[in-house]
Amino acid sequence: MINLGLAQISRALGSGEFSSVELTQKYLQEIAKQNSDLNAYITVCDELALSQAQAADEARSQGNAGPMTGIPIAHKDLFCTQGIRTSCGSKMLDNFIAPYNATVVENFINAGTVTLGKTNMDEFAMGSSNETSFYGPVKNPWNRDLVPGGSSGGSAAAVSGRLCAGATATDTGGSIRQPASFTGITGLKPTYGRVSRWGMVAFASSLDQAGTMTQTAEDAAMMLNVMAGVDPKDSTSSDRPAEDYTADIDKPLTGLKIGLPVQHFSEGLDATVEQCIRDAVAEFEKLGATVKEISLPNSHLSVSAYYVIAPAEASANLSRYDGVRYGYRCENPVNLEDMYKRTRSEGFGTEVKRRIMVGTYALSAGYYDAYYIKAQKIRRLIKNDFEKAFQEVDVIMGPTSPHTAFAIGSKNDDPVTMYLEDIYTIAVNLAGLPGISIPAGLLNGLPIGLQIVGKDFAESQLLNVAHKFQQATDWHEKSPV
Amino acid sequence: MEWETVIGLEVHVQLSTASKLFSGTSTEYGAQPNTQASIYDLAMPGTLPVLNTEALRMAVKFGLSIGAEIGKKSVFDRKNYFYPDLPKGYQTSQLDYPTVGKGELVINMEDGSQRTIGVTRAHMEEDAGKSLHEDFHGKSGIDLNRAGTPLLEIVSEPDMRNAKEAVAYLKKLHSIILYLGISDGEMSQGSMRCDANVSVRPKGTTKLGNRTEIKNINSFRFVEKAINIEVERQIDIIEDGGKIEQETRLYDADKNETRSMRSKEVANDYRYFPEPDLLPIVIDDAYIETVRATLPELPDVKKQRFQDQYGLSEYDAMVLSSDLASANYFEAVVDTCDDAKLSANWVMGDLQAYLNKEEISIVNSIVSAKVLGGLIKRITDNTISSKIAKTVFEAMLAGEGDADSIIESKGLKQVTDTGAIEKMVDDVITANPDQVQQFKEGKEQVIGFFVGQIMKASQGKANPGQVNKMLKEKLSK
């Protein structure tokens, strides 16, 4: 039963094929078996999960079950969970137990889901391989010598390795889509502002967005139904009404206009990956879509702009970790400065410190205009590129990543090589657009992801497009398990 | 050489919203440490700010009261620095797009002259918490109750030329803030805090000298003293061939000196950037007009009205209008007694003396406006003399009741019966032939002696006007 997708589980629970308690026990058993090696979870909530499952079964027996009631999911360990550690993959928050729930977590609790645990991640979501976690790297269920991608590597591995029915994740610069691509699952990053950020430990506030890791687009739609909506606690959440994202999921794709950005099919792209993506696009043509080439002329600037804006915001967002009120504090500080210096030197890992330094530099007097302001201008140009493209096409498709999952430890020497991992995904964050990565093929037995980018708040359309592809193909059913 | 002083003030006004700028936590003063600190105020991971629109309304109200440009689009920025009582490691403030832009304030000097002082801007920002260094043996305690309290930082142009002008500016600001009801303005509680930028230059030159910033001066009196002592220090240094270092200085009221806090050169680079957790605040004309409609009559307008409507002198009108509570009290007194001049004299005279002595504000006066008005009414209708009125007022302060009951119980009613007065006049003339002789020889001031004798005999109750008139008649015969 743990091989089923979230929507299938929902139906099975509804028809009484098995109970939430039975299913939860199965997942917990599997986690107990697998996690010491996969390292997908930082914290497993056995007792809580079972009591929630029991409550869900009771609610169902009283006729009070919704589509998500009793479904075991996992949360990326940067969503605050009341009473459960929220570590953000960092030594800094290893001892941090939030006194409140993130809006996303609260919404899932209200929907009756079961919380299996908190998933591993790059420290403060900074990384593309899940190797920067204080809790050690996550392994890719398809090949345990490989990374699962990052920063939501734990959520990706948990879904791919069938250690939960679905998981929450976040995407600041590809952190949902790239690991989804590497682990052969469906990863949805909604439009900036679609899902509340309240209770999500901040990395880069203007880019961070919560989304889903699931087996299928239909599963993602069900999760997004729980997550989406305005939140008075998040001033940047959109007051545009959320939709029922499953409603239009089966609409035919006749007349759909697909754009392929030339810049995403150029040098650096693995030839087999390219072929696989072109095959997927051909599949869409069979489904009634038309395809044309488009240009995103400023896309080559996106990684540079991102690595100014995101670290700049992060440098301020991470200032609160000072050892004063919660989290790690160094031993026996001799004075205030010593406490700050050692707390932050000892509490943060290398990549986090690197980005704090980069961000601090970019915001410094004398450099602000050359870096931060310039990066914001590029951001505007990138947004304009997309707006122009969307005058001609409905969705934009391309590879999620230039290649398949790489070996653990293979890209740790040069941070820039790692930053280039997100070359196709980052522009979408800068533009605030929704994007989804779906399995579109295999290369040497490893999954390849197709990225589909939509207009602002076009989540329903993206999920419809992804779902129709998944109806016509079986790449999403390929599993390492 | 003759020196000119140049002063600009940065005034932090704590807005009297019920809750904090971004968190909804209560702002009430004086609670137990950290009992008014929510998860946002503690900068818990994942928490986000939500603007308190009441603070915005107050800021706009202030802007309109000084005729300032109102920012249709204002933007919050993060001002980054580390300090234990700054939980987020940045203060959310406004840098390039403040809610209130350029405006001006007319200040009134003691000699009746007026000056116009430019206001550069006023921006909203959140207050920090407090570090407590006592009772923690080798450690510091942090109290975050105040963290996140909304402040309006009002920045003036360097338009003031001496400490008295700075005080007048501060007093006018204080007056307006209380009129608008946007702050309690209590300097002793830190609801209004003042930093002064002070420099000197040779008189007649226009280039600004190096300035120092004097921090956290917490009373009107200290503003004047701190500026004067700093000006003296700067002139001494320059005249001794030295140079003024641009730095932040702290005023020590006990020693009446300023001393260096930190040099600007080693000060933080605040690395301002737009706060990504908040959208820009966009307001339209309709909003501004809604706020404008709530503006009360402001001090200058009230002052003019007091002159026009009540015939008060400019000075009286200024004193009474400078403080809203006094102005309201005064008008309530006039309402009762219908004599504006006497009302003004009493409010500014005996009542103010009592308030000063007891160090209480007019709203806490034991004598209400209605009761004081009742007293004045008994002067104007000749029930008592002004002199007896002072006795009645003393009794009022002692809590002995209103004018009529005190006059009644103490038998202070003025004697206006012509027969009775005539008898007293006759008696006193008969009893003092020497003085009568002196009067007849032209020494008219001796009449004061007779009045005194009669007032003594009547225990002050004889109507002095009648007594005077009758005495003159009889002595001149």
Side-chain angles (χ1 to χ4, degrees):
Chain A
M1 62 183 94
I2 59 171
N3 281 320
L4 297 174
L6 192 146
Q8 293 167 315
I9 287 171
S10 178
R11 287 187 277 270
L13 286 171
S15 65
E17 235 172 273
F18 47 78
S19 71
S20 176
V21 168
E22 287 170 311
L23 178 64
T24 301
Q25 278 167 339
K26 274 264 188 254
Y27 276 123
L28 290 172
Q29 282 161 16
E30 197 60 21
I31 293 167
K33 246 193 284 172
Q34 302 287 342
N35 198 52
S36 59
D37 186 40
L38 266 187
N39 203 20
Y41 283 87
I42 291 173
T43 302
V44 180
C45 313
D46 299 76
E47 273 178 45
L48 173 73
L50 285 169
S51 72
Q52 286 175 331
Q54 205 161 7
D57 286 338
E58 272 162 34
R60 189 174 300 280
S61 70
Q62 285 158 18
N64 295 327
M68 293 294 288
T69 304
I71 297 182
I73 61 165
H75 292 297
K76 187 175 180 179
D77 206 18
L78 53 55
F79 290 98
C80 284
T81 41
Q82 190 168 358
I84 305 166
R85 174 176 60 184
T86 299
S87 75
C88 219
S90 181
K91 179 179 178 183
M92 191 61 94
L93 291 177
D94 183 45
N95 65 1
F96 177 67
I97 294 172
Y100 75 110
N101 279 327
T103 297
V104 164
V105 170
E106 194 70 27
N107 287 346
F108 276 111
I109 288 174
N110 292 337
T113 60
V114 172
T115 308
L116 290 170
K118 308 290 293 287
T119 59
N120 205 340
M121 55 184 284
D122 279 302
E123 185 180 7
F124 283 100
M126 298 178 186
S128 306
S129 65
N130 217 121
E131 291 169 289
T132 71
S133 170
F134 172 64
Y135 301 92
V138 178
K139 293 179 180 172
N140 191 321
W142 291 77
N143 176 337
R144 300 196 177 198
D145 294 328
L146 307 181
V147 303
S151 67
S152 312
S155 289
V159 172
S160 166
R162 306 300 187 243
L163 301 183
C164 63
T168 58
T170 60
D171 191 319
T172 306
S175 283
I176 286 176
R177 290 157 290 155
Q178 184 249 23
S181 165
F182 281 11
T183 57
I185 61 169
T186 300
L188 171 70
K189 173 208 122 46
T191 311
Y192 182 80
R194 182 66 294 169
V195 176
S196 168
R197 293 187 295 117
W198 174 262
M200 221 172 90
V201 182
F203 161 16
S205 311
S206 75
L207 299 159
D208 293 344
Q209 180 59 208
T212 62
M213 294 289 203
T214 54
Q215 290 185 27
T216 69
E218 188 189 8
D219 298 353
M222 286 180 67
M223 281 187 77
L224 187 61
N225 275 351
V226 176
M227 295 166 77
V230 68
D231 181 0
K233 295 194 199 111
D234 175 3
S235 310
T236 64
S237 69
S238 171
D239 56 8
R240 189 185 163 113
E243 299 160 34
D244 174 358
Y245 296 97
T246 58
D248 287 340
I249 205 157
D250 219 16
K251 259 177 39 180
L253 300 186
T254 322
L256 179 79
K257 286 179 276 185
I258 297 171
L260 304 180
V262 285
Q263 291 83 359
H264 290 193
F265 292 88
S266 58
E267 67 174 304
L269 177 60
D270 183 286
T272 321
V273 172
E274 174 169 359
Q275 192 48 54
C276 172
I277 297 301
R278 292 204 184 274
D279 289 349
V281 171
E283 193 64 42
F284 280 106
E285 287 182 293
K286 280 191 227 158
L287 293 169
T290 58
V291 179
K292 70 181 287 187
E293 234 176 39
I294 57 156
S295 179
L296 299 171
N298 293 293
S299 64
H300 64 290
L301 299 173
S302 61
V303 173
S304 316
Y306 175 88
Y307 277 98
V308 170
I309 293 168
E313 292 179 8
S315 72
N317 281 332
L318 272 60
S319 290
R320 64 189 60 198
Y321 308 109
D322 56 7
V324 174
R325 297 165 309 285
Y326 51 76
Y328 179 75
R329 183 192 284 184
C330 69
E331 300 268 352
N332 305 315
V334 297
N335 57 33
L336 180 62
E337 193 174 315
D338 182 50
M339 182 175 89
Y340 281 155
K341 277 188 177 163
R342 285 201 288 123
T343 294
R344 291 170 65 81
S345 300
E346 295 162 16
F348 289 136
T350 309
E351 183 59 26
V352 170
K353 280 188 268 196
R354 179 181 293 125
R355 297 200 196 186
I356 290 173
M357 292 301 289
V358 167
T360 303
Y361 183 81
L363 292 174
S364 298
Y367 299 99
Y368 180 76
D369 289 347
Y371 291 101
Y372 185 81
I373 294 293
K374 192 153 205 176
Q376 291 293 1
K377 285 180 182 161
I378 293 172
R379 186 174 188 173
R380 184 69 242 174
L381 292 178
I382 286 167
K383 177 84 180 161
N384 291 348
D385 282 356
F386 277 110
E387 278 172 7
K388 202 164 152 241
F390 280 127
Q391 287 172 4
E392 299 175 49
V393 298
D394 302 314
V395 292
I396 295 170
M397 290 187 188
T400 305
S401 168
H403 47 173
T404 54
F406 51 87
I408 292 172
S410 67
K411 293 200 180 195
N412 288 343
D413 298 338
D414 177 13
V416 177
T417 317
M418 191 69 92
Y419 297 167
L420 289 172
E421 270 306 299
D422 299 308
I423 191 159
Y424 301 141
T425 47
I426 269 179
V428 177
N429 297 84
L430 290 170
L433 298 168
I436 192 168
S437 177
I438 56 173
L442 291 173
L443 166 57
N444 301 327
L446 292 174
I448 292 168
L450 168 75
Q451 173 173 242
I452 313 169
V453 180
K455 298 174 188 174
D456 277 330
F457 299 101
E459 284 82 4
S460 279
Q461 184 178 41
L462 280 190
L463 290 162
N464 166 227
V465 170
H467 178 69
K468 294 308 280 186
F469 181 80
Q470 291 178 340
Q471 296 290 91
T473 62
D474 63 356
W475 297 115
H476 62 288
E477 287 168 9
K478 306 268 185 242
S479 150
V481 179
Chain B
M1 191 182 300
E2 245 200 288
W3 297 94
E4 180 175 60
T5 305
V6 178
I7 302 160
L9 296 184
E10 289 170 21
V11 180
H12 287 87
V13 173
Q14 210 174 73
L15 297 175
S16 54
T17 53
S19 60
K20 294 186 179 180
L21 187 52
F22 297 121
S23 72
T25 318
S26 167
T27 52
E28 210 170 316
Y29 182 79
Q32 285 296 306
N34 297 309
T35 54
Q36 286 173 186
S38 68
I39 50 176
Y40 177 79
D41 307 322
L42 289 163
M44 284 283 170
T47 55
L48 297 167
V50 177
L51 176 67
N52 181 343
T53 52
E54 187 61 11
L56 172 68
R57 197 186 60 78
M58 288 180 172
V60 171
K61 201 170 170 185
F62 171 75
L64 292 173
S65 78
I66 59 161
E69 298 160 15
I70 303 299
K72 294 273 182 69
K73 178 183 160 185
S74 46
V75 177
F76 280 103
D77 297 277
R78 292 183 181 180
K79 177 181 180 180
N80 296 285
Y81 65 95
F82 284 99
Y83 207 70
D85 60 22
L86 185 73
K88 297 194 296 284
Y90 55 83
Q91 180 191 30
T92 307
S93 182
Q94 298 179 319
L95 181 67
D96 291 329
Y97 302 95
T99 297
V100 178
K102 268 192 187 312
E104 56 186 38
L105 207 62
V106 176
I107 61 170
N108 311 84
M109 304 305 296
E110 273 172 22
D111 65 3
S113 65
Q114 293 189 328
R115 278 209 64 207
T116 301
I117 306 297
V119 172
T120 317
R121 58 183 285 159
H123 61 261
M124 287 187 274
E125 62 184 26
E126 52 182 355
D127 209 344
K130 282 179 182 163
S131 296
L132 311 168
H133 300 295
E134 284 147 26
D135 312 327
F136 290 97
H137 312 289
K139 295 183 179 179
S140 292
I142 305 294
D143 176 8
L144 295 175
N145 283 354
R146 201 182 64 181
T149 300
L151 298 177
L152 188 65
E153 181 175 341
I154 303 160
V155 182
S156 85
E157 291 288 305
D159 284 351
M160 288 153 277
R161 292 291 171 267
N162 56 56
K164 285 210 183 312
E165 288 185 357
V167 173
Y169 170 85
L170 204 57
K171 283 193 169 161
K172 190 56 172 282
L173 213 50
H174 188 256
S175 162
I176 288 179
I177 283 157
L178 293 190
Y179 264 71
L180 298 175
I182 60 173
S183 174
D184 64 23
E186 291 287 348
M187 289 187 85
S188 59
Q189 290 180 5
S191 300
M192 184 161 162
R193 305 194 283 269
C194 175
D195 303 337
N197 287 300
V198 178
S199 64
V200 296
R201 63 186 173 195
K203 207 164 180 122
T205 61
T206 52
K207 191 172 171 278
L208 289 170
N210 274 352
R211 66 182 158 85
T212 58
E213 182 180 5
I214 315 171
K215 277 273 180 210
N216 277 332
I217 322 171
N218 59 13
S219 79
F220 294 116
R221 201 160 58 89
F222 289 162
V223 168
E224 186 166 353
K225 291 179 86 172
I227 291 173
N228 282 333
I229 203 75
E230 175 61 14
V231 167
E232 225 173 87
R233 188 189 71 88
Q234 292 191 9
I235 292 174
D236 282 351
I237 289 176
I238 298 172
E239 289 189 339
D240 286 349
K243 222 182 126 226
I244 301 304
E245 209 177 312
Q246 183 156 325
E247 62 178 355
T248 303
R249 299 181 70 82
L250 195 70
Y251 176 65
D252 183 334
D254 293 334
K255 295 181 182 159
N256 191 32
E257 63 176 29
T258 65
R259 59 168 179 270
S260 183
M261 263 177 82
R262 56 171 186 256
S263 164
K264 281 266 180 190
E265 282 157 328
V266 296
N268 286 306
D269 171 0
Y270 290 120
R271 304 188 309 279
Y272 280 97
F273 74 102
E275 164 60 284
D277 286 332
L278 289 165
L279 301 175
I281 309 166
V282 178
I283 54 176
D284 56 14
D285 289 326
Y287 175 86
I288 293 172
E289 290 316 311
T290 315
V291 177
R292 196 192 303 279
T294 67
L295 282 182
E297 181 186 44
L298 290 164
D300 289 343
V301 177
K302 200 181 283 280
K303 178 187 147 211
Q304 193 57 51
R305 180 168 64 80
F306 280 8
Q307 289 176 254
D308 298 345
Q309 182 180 342
Y310 300 123
L312 296 187
S313 71
E314 185 174 0
Y315 178 78
D316 287 1
M318 186 190 85
V319 171
L320 287 170
S321 64
S322 69
D323 165 46
L324 181 61
S326 302
N328 289 342
Y329 187 100
F330 162 72
E331 290 206 270
V333 175
V334 179
D335 255 8
T336 312
C337 72
D338 216 26
D339 187 318
K341 183 63 197 161
L342 268 184
S343 298
N345 290 347
W346 274 91
V347 171
M348 293 164 62
D350 294 77
L351 180 75
Q352 192 58 49
Y354 144 74
L355 297 175
N356 290 349
K357 189 170 147 251
E358 300 293 323
E359 294 182 333
I360 55 173
S361 70
I362 201 162
V363 289
N364 296 321
S365 169
I366 187 168
V367 178
S368 71
K370 203 164 171 193
V371 167
L372 181 58
L375 173 63
I376 296 170
K377 215 152 107 187
R378 293 296 163 255
I379 302 172
T380 55
D381 69 6
N382 282 326
T383 306
I384 53 170
S385 66
S386 296
K387 189 152 184 261
I388 289 293
K390 289 190 191 287
T391 312
V392 176
F393 186 67
E394 289 299 322
M396 285 173 168
L397 294 182
E400 291 176 28
D402 65 6
D404 288 346
S405 62
I406 292 168
I407 291 166
E408 181 64 36
S409 67
K410 289 193 183 296
L412 296 174
K413 201 166 172 197
Q414 187 160 243
V415 178
T416 50
D417 171 2
T418 318
I421 290 175
E422 185 166 17
K423 183 171 180 303
M424 285 189 270
V425 169
D426 288 343
D427 287 354
V428 104
I429 287 177
T430 314
N432 298 286
D434 288 357
Q435 281 77 7
V436 173
Q437 189 55 34
Q438 284 172 15
F439 183 84
K440 297 205 172 196
E441 285 164 7
K443 203 174 171 191
E444 288 197 4
Q445 60 267 42
V446 82
I447 199 150
F449 165 78
F450 289 107
V451 174
Q453 291 295 308
I454 291 163
M455 292 316 273
K456 199 169 157 191
S458 72
Q459 290 166 310
K461 288 183 287 183
N463 182 311
Q466 277 176 287
V467 169
N468 254 303
K469 194 163 160 252
M470 202 172 285
L471 261 173
K472 277 185 184 158
E473 279 170 20
K474 296 216 173 216
L475 287 168
S476 303
K477 271 184 192 162

